[in-house]
Amino acid sequence: MCAKLLILESPGKVKKVQSFLGPDWKVVASVGHVRDLPVKEMGVAAPDFKPHYQPTERGADVLKRLGALAKQADVVYLATDPDREGEAIAWHVADALKLKDAKRVTYGEITESAVKAAVQSPRAIDMALVAAQEGRRVLDRFCGYLVSGPLSRAVGTRLSAGRVQSPALRLVVERERAITSFVSVTHYGAELSFEGWKAAWVVKSWIEPGQEYFQDQALAEKMAGLRSLEILDCEESEARVAPPTPFTTSSLQQAASNALKFKPKQTMSLAQALYEQGHITYMRTDSPNLSQEAVAVIRAYADGQGWPLPDKPRTWKAKDGAQEAHEAIRPTHIEEEDAGETADEKALYRLIRVRALASQLADSVYAVRLLRLSADVDGKQATFEAKGRTLQEQGWKVLLAADEATKDDAEDEPDNPVPALQSGAQVTALSGRVLTKKTKPPTRYTLASLVRELENRGIGRPSTFAAILDTIQTREYIKEEKRYLVPTPLGVQVVDALVNAFSFVDYAFTKEMEQALDDIASGKTKYQQVVATAFNRLMDE
């Protein structure tokens, strides 16, 4: 007999949680989902769209084992992961075992204090969250069953479509086509060099009406030949740069891809291991904010290190559509500089830790000087600008040089020690050169930049990005070439067969569906209404 039975998701957590709770508890794992829709049929039909679940092949044995343990327990606690998926697994276990008074508990980190606090404050299963997960699963099943057949017939080979993977594939295909059809335009600028600093010609007022770029090479050469100029004004200002936010699921995947060359699926696997080992908080989150307790601990630690702190703790506005049930990803013990069992786990932990620490530090402060110069060219004033900035206060850059999540797009401003000069002063350029520029095609997506694009467009949810990208790679719809994503001929065929035939590959429709699922979770709408609308739309196409 065990007085209290606690069922969590992953076997990797059992030993640690058991050690927290002691001998009065029996801790076991559901090993993820125990039931799902049928393998060989859709399993959901109009008009009620009630899903017909079956135990999975592994789940049947798990349920048998859990059922025997539940009969021996005085009370059953369901401690599956603190998200929609975890809520659904908790409900499936309770429903399959016919548990009448199961207690739902959640915690954002696997530490003794968090687990003990959770079991002291149980709640009922949140059926709105369960319905939202059910809606996602059923919508995915609709796309798989109602679209894959027509798609396979159109292309002539057995293929599968996905509610979110197909729009993701479409992004890659459309980017490739934009690159292929791109026509480069050559345009010009001019730069003058002075003693230790440079100034660039402001071409905007010289561009011909109707043109986007300056294309008169001869005039650019004339500008580069100028030597005597007058100072129009010298503007002094201060630029403050706030640190990047702590990691969300999405920004962690992007940063790990850029800084550590990890694929999103690998990143999530490593983060899961760190979470189960008790080193980081729950790694599926849209929130950029840390708990008040965590912020207080981080500020105290940073102060002890002598690092600069802002007057008030930092908070950030989440992106539209973010599900902020859990705080951002952070170490459970900020003083631990190293954690993890493998080199990759340790590297990811360091990335998470430094980012969490830096997020609460003071702004970096730059002194900015903008010098504007002019000369007469053919009776018209030509203006040049010289901009320089000097780091005055490091702030968060004592720990972190840049935001790793967007490092692939970042360009460091070159040093340009612009002198302070008075308006009306005359200066002489030592040399000048024409800047010959060519417009560049859009760049191919990397895994990191595709994750960022999916998030910006509201396609899918950060917790699903790794699986989406893994699926379209595994099915050979895209391939990686030097870390850039290229559609395969098969991937192009799939997109061409779907576009204009099925609305679920429309970016706006996909975003609307995500919002509808969020509305189910928040109780603003009902499961049946959302899935019926999507089903009828697919059947009409």
Side-chain angles (χ1 to χ4, degrees), residues 121-137:
S121 305
R123 59 170 172 81
I125 292 172
D126 187 332
M127 292 308 297
L129 292 182
V130 174
Q133 189 278 337
E134 197 163 63
R136 181 182 296 281
R137 184 73 187 93

Side-chain angles (χ1 to χ4, degrees), residues 102-123:
K103 300 183 183 301
R104 176 75 170 118
V105 297
T106 58
Y107 38 81
E109 58 188 65
I110 303 176
T111 58
E112 185 169 357
S113 58
V115 171
K116 285 184 172 179
V119 297
Q120 292 297 319
S121 305
R123 59 170 172 81

Side-chain angles (χ1 to χ4, degrees), residues 159-173:
L159 296 170
S160 67
R163 183 181 63 86
V164 182
Q165 78 192 41
S166 298
L169 172 61
R170 181 182 178 184
L171 285 170
V172 177
V173 170

Side-chain angles (χ1 to χ4, degrees), residues 285-304:
T285 176
D286 291 355
S287 175
N289 290 304
L290 300 173
S291 68
Q292 290 182 346
E293 295 83 0
V295 169
V297 169
I298 288 173
R299 283 175 64 91
Y301 180 84
D303 190 47

Side-chain angles (χ1 to χ4, degrees), residues 398-413:
V398 298
L399 289 184
L400 194 63
D403 179 358
E404 301 99 335
T406 56
K407 196 175 286 184
D408 55 345
D409 296 334
E411 289 185 15
D412 293 329
E413 290 187 28

